[in-house]
Amino acid sequence: MKDRMKIWCVSALLCLCGSLSLSAAGQWKDTLVVTRDGTGDYRTLTEAMEGIRAFMDYKVTVLIKNGIYKEKVVVPSWLQNVDFIGEDAEKTIITFDDHANINKMGTFRTYTVKVEGNAISFRNLTIENNAAQLGQAVALHTEGDRLVFVNCRFLGNQDTVYTGAQDTRLYFKNCYIEGTTDFIFGPSTALFEDCTIHSKRDSYVTAASTPADIAVGYVFKNCKLTAAPEVDNVFLGRPWRPYAATVFINCEMGKHICPEGWNNWRNPENEKTARYAEYGSKGEGGSMDKRAKWTKALTKKEAAQYDDLAYIFKISNGWIPTENE
């Protein structure tokens, strides 16, 4: 009798735990609203991510109302399939102000937003690092794969966008990215399409560190390169690592782009390995006549390869990004 009672008690407890688990699962929402004034589900993005189930296989949408969100945001590796959608790109602002020389922080801890999860998108918002110009200050730091950024603004100075992990793929569409030195840098494969790239100082736009065995690093297609009025000597890129790969295709370049276009980062050996190329560059800074001799002018056929998203993003599993993803 006592044994039967024990079995019944254990069974009842298991059933209760199961029902509690189902009840908890039923509380997860697929749409969350973040507002600074407290009228939404959460007041910060960090709080909102606590309301997203780990490793879910369905899409979660986080709607972010206009406001200034001063917080250091980490999208953790256990989150995936999440869309962060701002109300207005110029009025929905995520901002912080760390820089590399605060308590010997170093570059890689200065981010405002760090994305570790996969299959994450950001739309219609601003990510900003507004630190004083006292060192490297990252606005966006990515480590996840299959990340999409549409109609976003990335504001900063040195090292604004860090694409921080090799074998990861990023897609930027209709974005505005500004900075001073090496403000788009890292080892990822990234396509920038119909973006505005704005230089705030005479310096370098990109500093790719593409691994030797990865065919495609940074691809800029149909982008517009602009600059502050006093800026007149900007390089398209310099190799952070020897096999840096960066291509500009059909981009409009202002007069601030210097005639040689590319820099070897004070190391002639980099000229033997860096993979820098252009096709269809136009505007006052687009002339190829005086480009560095060790860089390449693509043929029409070679440039056409970059019309194939499968070619750009063929690192693994055939992911093809879309702006509506």
Side-chain angles (χ1 to χ4, degrees):
M1 180 70 177
K2 289 182 179 178
D3 289 341
R4 286 200 297 271
M5 182 61 71
K6 287 180 181 178
I7 292 170
W8 183 88
C9 288
V10 171
S11 298
L13 181 60
L14 290 173
C15 288
L16 176 60
C17 289
S19 70
L20 288 174
S21 177
L22 289 171
S23 175
Q27 293 175 8
W28 299 107
K29 300 167 103 176
D30 61 7
T31 301
L32 307 174
V33 179
V34 180
T35 60
R36 286 299 302 138
D37 63 11
T39 59
D41 299 304
Y42 300 96
R43 295 191 70 238
T44 70
L45 275 79
T46 301
E47 291 171 354
M49 283 183 287
E50 294 299 319
I52 303 174
R53 187 179 184 183
F55 301 114
M56 67 288 182
D57 56 2
Y58 54 89
K59 180 77 74 175
V60 173
T61 301
V62 180
L63 300 174
I64 310 166
K65 295 293 186 180
N66 289 342
I68 297 175
Y69 298 84
K70 186 170 184 180
E71 55 179 310
K72 204 171 175 74
V73 176
V74 177
V75 181
S77 60
W78 55 86
L79 292 188
Q80 59 188 15
N81 299 319
V82 181
D83 288 342
F84 294 93
I85 303 178
E87 185 175 0
D88 184 299
E90 295 190 2
K91 298 178 182 178
T92 306
I93 302 169
I94 309 165
T95 185
F96 212 77
D97 55 1
D98 278 342
H99 63 75
N101 293 311
I102 296 175
N103 298 324
K104 299 181 180 179
M105 182 178 295
T107 303
F108 307 117
R109 298 183 182 91
T110 63
Y111 58 82
T112 297
V113 173
K114 182 179 183 182
V115 186
E116 299 173 347
N118 298 327
I120 307 290
S121 76
F122 289 81
R123 305 167 193 277
N124 306 330
L125 50 78
T126 293
I127 297 174
E128 171 189 61
N129 189 320
N130 69 350
Q133 294 191 41
L134 299 173
Q136 297 91 333
V138 174
L140 173 69
H141 176 152
T142 68
E143 293 188 357
D145 184 33
R146 292 172 285 125
L147 307 183
V148 174
F149 304 89
V150 178
N151 193 35
C152 290
R153 300 162 72 235
F154 302 94
L155 310 183
N157 293 298
Q158 184 172 355
D159 294 359
T160 305
V161 173
Y162 174 42
T163 66
Q166 68 180 62
D167 296 336
T168 60
R169 296 158 295 178
L170 318 175
Y171 179 50
F172 295 81
K173 175 73 173 179
N174 290 327
C175 290
Y176 171 88
I177 305 170
E178 69 171 30
T180 56
T181 299
D182 303 334
F183 58 96
I184 303 171
F185 70 114
S188 305
T189 293
L191 171 60
F192 302 84
E193 194 168 35
D194 302 315
C195 294
T196 296
I197 312 298
H198 185 74
S199 293
K200 298 166 68 176
R201 183 187 297 170
D202 289 343
S203 197
Y204 312 88
V205 175
T206 68
S209 57
T210 320
D213 62 338
I214 299 298
V216 180
Y218 291 155
V219 180
F220 295 84
K221 290 182 64 180
N222 305 316
C223 292
K224 186 173 184 179
L225 279 64
T226 63
E230 68 278 10
V231 174
D232 61 7
N233 190 41
V234 173
F235 292 86
L236 297 171
R238 60 177 179 168
W240 186 22
R241 293 294 182 269
Y243 289 89
T246 302
V247 176
F248 286 83
I249 298 175
N250 295 328
C251 292
E252 182 179 340
M253 301 180 181
K255 63 182 181 180
H256 62 289
I257 299 300
C258 60
E260 58 268 42
W262 305 89
N263 183 276
N264 66 14
W265 207 320
R266 302 183 303 278
N267 183 0
E269 287 299 306
N270 286 332
E271 298 179 7
K272 301 175 184 177
T273 51
R275 295 166 288 173
Y276 287 154
E278 296 174 63
Y279 177 82
S281 296
K282 53 197 173 185
E284 292 182 82
S287 173
M288 297 286 293
D289 293 344
K290 297 181 180 180
R291 287 292 194 255
K293 301 299 183 184
W294 48 277
T295 64
K296 185 174 184 178
L298 296 174
T299 66
K300 184 176 182 180
K301 183 177 180 179
E302 289 170 333
Q305 291 182 101
Y306 296 93
D307 292 332
D308 181 3
L309 295 182
Y311 171 74
I312 296 174
F313 293 112
K314 66 181 180 182
I315 296 172
S316 64
N317 75 25
W319 174 69
I320 301 295
T322 70
E323 59 186 290
N324 298 315
E325 189 170 286

